[in-house]
Amino acid sequence: MNATPMGMAKLPGTAIDTGLLGPDQWVADIVYFPLETRLLAEARARGCRVLPGSGMAVFQAVRAFELFTGRPACPDEMKATFDAFAT
């Protein structure tokens, strides 16, 4: 799991030696800009299951919306909006 800023658009690269990855592992990266980081691309190429940072971004936004407005947010709508902008 990458929880560092490495891989962000302004800080390219990876904090993890991807040569250590194999198909029996899964790799998560909380970076969401870009959504497809070097770490995820290399992990996928090595047969790993991957989890991009989109979920973290969406559910962080859900919680922030609820804190700021006092109203419930719709995670499905927020995810659809995120996906529309991410492609």
Side-chain angles (χ1 to χ4, degrees):
M1 172 180 229
N2 177 41
T4 75
M6 289 291 295
M8 295 177 69
K10 293 186 178 184
L11 192 58
T14 178
I16 298 167
D17 179 358
T18 57
L20 299 173
L21 299 175
D24 60 331
Q25 298 170 310
W26 67 270
V27 175
D29 196 339
I30 66 164
V31 170
Y32 54 87
F33 186 70
L35 197 53
E36 178 72 3
T37 62
R38 178 177 149 203
L39 173 61
L40 293 181
E42 291 186 21
R44 189 176 284 108
R46 293 179 169 275
C48 300
R49 290 169 292 173
V50 300
L51 180 66
S54 55
M56 188 281 305
V58 169
F59 284 97
Q60 186 177 48
V62 165
R63 185 66 180 132
F65 179 87
E66 293 172 348
L67 286 170
F68 289 131
T69 67
R71 301 179 65 176
C74 179
D76 292 335
E77 287 182 25
M78 294 180 99
K79 173 98 171 67
T81 300
F82 181 90
D83 291 343
F85 285 100
T87 57

